[in-house]
Structure formats: C-alpha cells, structure tokens
Amino acid sequence: MPTPPDTASAGPAGPTDPAGPTDPAGPTDPSGLSGAAAPDAPARRRRNPLPELGFGAAQLGNLYRVTTDDEARGAVDAAWEGGIRMFDTAPHYGIGTSERRLGALLADRPREEYVLSTKVGRLLVPGPGDGDDMEHEFAVPDDHIRVWDMSGQGIRRSHAESLERLGLDRVDILYLHDPEEGPTEQAFAEALPTLAAMREEGLISCIGVGSKDVDVLTRAVRTGLLDVVMVSGRYTLLEQPAAEQLLPACLDHEVEVVAVSVFNSGILSRPTVPDRAKYEYGDAPVDLLQRARELAALAVRHGVELPELAIRYPLRHPAISSVVLGMRTADQVRQNIERCLREIPEEIWEQIDA
C-alpha cells in the first residue's frame, strides 16, 4: 500500500497510552494540526484524537523516482516546523530505505513530541542485487526482497528489524500491512494476536491494520483487538465504500481511523483535472474524470480548490481522525499544511452531500 505520488500514506496513536491515542503535538503546536476539530468538522468522539495531518514517508523510499537527500531533509524539516508530529513509514517503502531515512531525520527530535508508526507482515531478506525495485514502483537497488511472514515469530522479527533500520528504541503504532495480499488467514490467526500480545508487553502503544480492502479491515476491527486502522483510498471525496460497514464498525469498537490515498492516486491532487489523470495507479475512467471535474468546478465557485476539498472531506466523518499525506519536498509539505488548514464553506459540503 504505497503512498501515491506526492499525495497521501499512515498514521499513529499516542506514544504513552496503550488504550488510545493522545495528542502528541501538545500545546505548543504552531499549526493547529494537533487534533482540534476544524470549523467545518463535527465534534470528535474522543478527547484526544490523532493529529489531523500526518507525514507519509513512502516518497522517502524513492517511490516512483529517486528522492534526493536534500529533498528528504527539507520535507521532514518543513513538516516539523509546520507542526506535524505524526510520521508513518514501512519496510515495504523502498525495501527499508524509507525507514532508514526517516529514522535518521527524526533522530535529533525530542522523541516524546512525535508519534511514529511502521508496519509488519513483510520481511526483508537478501536479494539478487543486480537490478532495481521498479516492479514495486520504488527506485532502489534490489539488494533485498520482500517475503510475506505473518507468523508470530515473523511479526516480532519484522518489528525488531524496523527498529534497527530506524535507529530508534520504539515505534508507537505497529500496523499489519496489506493482509489481503499475503497469507490472510495467518494474519488473523497469528499476526493480530501477536500484535495484541506485544502491546500488552509494552513493546508498542497501539496496533492496527493498514489496507485498501474494506472487508479485511472490517473483519479486523470486529476482532476487538485494534486501536486504529489505516484505510487507503476507500473513503475519499470521489468514493466512500468504507462508509457502509467499516466506519460504523470503527465507531462501535472505538477504533480510530487514518485516511490515506485521499487523492485517489492523483485524480484529486490538482486544482484542474488533466485528461490523463491517474486513479488506482492507472488512467482514470471517463465517468470518474467527469465527476472529479464537477467537484473541481464546485470548488472554484466557492473560492477554494479541489485538493483542499479532498483533504478536508474525510475529516468530516466522526470515525476519521487523521489524513496522512505522502510528501517529497518542503514545498509540498507547506502547501499541504495550508490546504489542511483551509476553512471550507459549509454550503460546499451541503451540495456534495445532497
């Protein structure tokens, strides 16, 4: 589940409260992104929800193209300066490259001031080393490859190896990553109980599942084990399949929701929708192009832009606390912070909901 290009990726819960998320940004957060409801959002159901905006680090793993060290450093610095205190990565992102880069860039930040998440389910083992990883959309050498392992031992090993790559002593949230693509039954029989045991042991604060499959996510929520889910591209301005069962289940079980891929792989990422806009990593079908252009025109009529609607829309649902966006450069970070803080006229939502 990589973050779409320069758009959206994962989000975590509080570093010290295993029962639920806290506000990691604290009272000094300069951005207004630390969890307080925006004027156009309904009251949150939890006292301390996750921060509204998080930094997704798939681009730090060279998603689609190489991200330079200067770009990566600039992006994380801009995020911190802008008040972002939630960072997400995964072994999958650049075969460990994202974890190594993000850990190094966070190393000098006060650990108690931010929330960090990574993911388990894929182990990294030595690879051929004579090519690249563009088959998985990452511009890195294939000196390692991914191997599915959702056994209890595999989950613990993945967590330990992530800490080593990050160079940090803990992560706050551990997500089971894309269980629908791997050994799904093993994920439910072994991985989720192991994650719950690790939480009880104090190794992590919160556990979750990250996926684009609403059925798998709903099933996981109904186990009663989870603190948070990351839903990829299934509750967006363009489409809301998560609304039928997943989000009600999250409310029922008091599971936080982090929305990622809110631009649907690119179709909602620009003020003007191009003819070759991407949806689900391919060319968008005609009907979705038309709908996206209708939404873009509606935004213009009210003095805002389509990406601003796309970021704010998921946060209106009472189950969703956070949007996490994949960002490659400092300029993208600053732009997305501005977009997240933009107040949207209520009449726009009334027209969209009609």
Side-chain angles (χ1 to χ4, degrees):
M1 187 175 56
T3 308
D6 309 325
T7 59
S9 157
T16 59
D17 178 12
T22 60
D23 178 3
T28 60
D29 172 26
S31 69
L33 301 174
S34 62
D40 58 332
R44 296 290 186 226
R45 57 186 178 81
R46 287 200 178 186
R47 182 178 176 184
N48 293 311
L50 295 172
E52 285 195 337
L53 182 61
F55 181 99
Q59 280 76 9
L60 269 59
N62 293 350
L63 181 64
Y64 300 117
R65 69 165 177 84
V66 171
T67 301
T68 69
D69 289 343
D70 285 346
E71 285 177 325
R73 185 180 303 107
V76 174
D77 286 348
W80 192 269
E81 291 164 5
I84 292 176
R85 295 295 184 270
M86 185 164 70
F87 298 86
D88 175 74
T89 183
H92 175 59
Y93 301 160
I95 329 180
T97 302
S98 173
E99 287 184 318
R100 286 189 292 270
R101 264 185 164 166
L102 182 62
L105 292 167
L106 292 175
D108 294 332
R109 322 277 180 179
R111 184 62 187 87
E112 68 279 3
E113 290 188 15
Y114 65 90
V115 175
L116 176 63
S117 62
T118 192
K119 306 179 184 76
V120 292
R122 297 173 172 93
L123 293 176
L124 305 184
V125 301
D130 57 359
D132 59 36
D133 190 49
M134 288 307 296
E135 177 185 357
H136 298 98
E137 310 289 358
F138 291 96
V140 296
D142 62 348
D143 51 2
H144 285 78
I145 59 173
R146 304 161 185 83
V147 176
W148 290 108
D149 191 337
M150 296 193 179
S151 68
Q153 183 180 12
I155 296 303
R156 289 179 182 272
R157 175 182 165 186
S158 180
H159 172 243
E161 291 178 354
S162 284
L163 293 181
E164 184 175 349
R165 285 188 292 268
L166 286 161
L168 299 170
D169 63 358
R170 73 180 190 277
V171 295
D172 304 305
I173 295 184
L174 206 52
Y175 289 102
L176 187 62
H177 200 183
D178 298 334
E180 76 284 358
E181 295 183 14
T184 305
E185 294 310 311
Q186 185 183 44
F188 282 89
E190 298 185 46
L192 290 183
T194 298
L195 287 171
M198 293 169 66
R199 180 181 57 199
E200 293 303 309
E201 294 163 17
L203 297 175
I204 46 180
S205 297
C206 296
I207 66 171
V209 176
S211 172
K212 59 182 177 293
D213 188 314
V214 294
D215 293 332
V216 163
L217 288 171
T218 303
R219 178 182 172 189
V221 167
R222 288 174 177 165
T223 66
L225 296 175
L226 303 189
D227 302 298
V228 58
V229 295
M230 181 192 306
V231 57
S232 178
R234 296 300 177 258
Y235 191 85
T236 72
L237 184 64
L238 201 58
E239 55 185 353
Q240 304 86 37
E244 184 175 351
Q245 295 189 45
L246 174 59
L247 298 185
C250 289
L251 290 170
D252 289 344
H253 290 269
E254 297 188 337
V255 172
E256 294 285 337
V257 180
V258 175
V260 303
S261 301
V262 299
F263 296 146
N264 284 119
S265 303
I267 190 171
L268 301 177
S269 65
R270 297 177 178 86
T272 301
V273 181
D275 292 339
R276 297 297 299 273
K278 298 299 181 182
Y279 168 80
E280 293 290 316
Y281 308 104
D283 291 338
V286 173
D287 58 330
L288 292 183
L289 282 174
Q290 180 178 347
R291 176 58 178 157
R293 285 169 174 160
E294 290 171 354
L295 291 165
L298 175 64
V300 169
R301 289 198 297 272
H302 290 274
V304 295
E305 294 184 345
L306 181 62
E308 295 167 351
L309 295 186
I311 292 173
R312 294 302 314 174
Y313 180 83
L315 293 167
R316 299 175 64 242
H317 194 288
I320 297 177
S321 293
S322 300
V323 166
V324 173
L325 304 177
M327 296 175 273
R328 193 185 303 272
T329 67
D331 286 345
Q332 290 169 4
V333 173
R334 297 186 189 104
Q335 181 182 52
N336 281 328
I337 289 174
E338 292 176 2
R339 287 169 167 175
C340 188
L341 293 174
R342 183 67 180 269
E343 185 171 351
I344 307 298
E346 183 60 32
E347 52 266 34
I348 292 185
W349 302 131
E350 292 172 357
Q351 292 180 52
I352 289 172
D353 293 340

